[in-house]
Amino acid sequence: NTVVKTEISPNEEYIAEVVNSDQGALGGDTLVYVYKGKKVNALLFTLSPKAQLVYKGEWGEFEDMDIQWKDDHCLLINSVEYPLR
């Protein structure tokens, strides 16, 4: 899994990450996770808040994906609204 794009909400409370999930011969997925809070990078590991999966699409879809924040609690992916729970 590789993070290919990151978008921070306007109030900087949430982080959206677009992930390329390459599964080799099986294909893969494009995933969008939203985290509340910030990651903490330590020397040997990273602490992350629990992620919410808000979108799952076809492998490689991330290349043409338009992602942006509508407001502090709603993500727009290809002009479709994804409100946060």
Side-chain angles (χ1 to χ4, degrees):
N1 290 343
T2 305
V3 176
V4 293
K5 189 171 187 179
T6 302
E7 290 289 328
I8 300 174
S9 66
N11 67 358
E12 299 183 358
E13 184 177 354
Y14 295 96
I15 300 168
E17 289 185 341
V18 180
V19 176
N20 174 27
S21 178
D22 187 348
Q23 298 168 11
L26 299 175
D29 301 301
T30 295
L31 308 169
V32 178
Y33 291 100
V34 173
Y35 298 87
K36 183 175 182 177
K38 296 182 180 179
K39 293 183 179 182
V40 176
N41 290 316
L43 185 59
L44 300 173
F45 57 90
T46 300
L47 296 173
S48 300
K50 185 172 177 164
Q52 176 184 343
L53 178 64
V54 296
Y55 180 84
K56 182 176 181 179
E58 298 294 319
W59 181 72
E61 188 176 344
F62 65 89
E63 293 176 1
D64 298 318
M65 180 181 281
D66 178 37
I67 181 169
Q68 59 187 312
W69 288 93
K70 176 181 178 185
D71 57 37
D72 292 328
H73 302 284
C74 186
L75 193 61
L76 291 173
I77 302 172
N78 296 331
S79 301
V80 177
E81 293 185 8
Y82 291 87
L84 302 182
R85 292 182 268 146

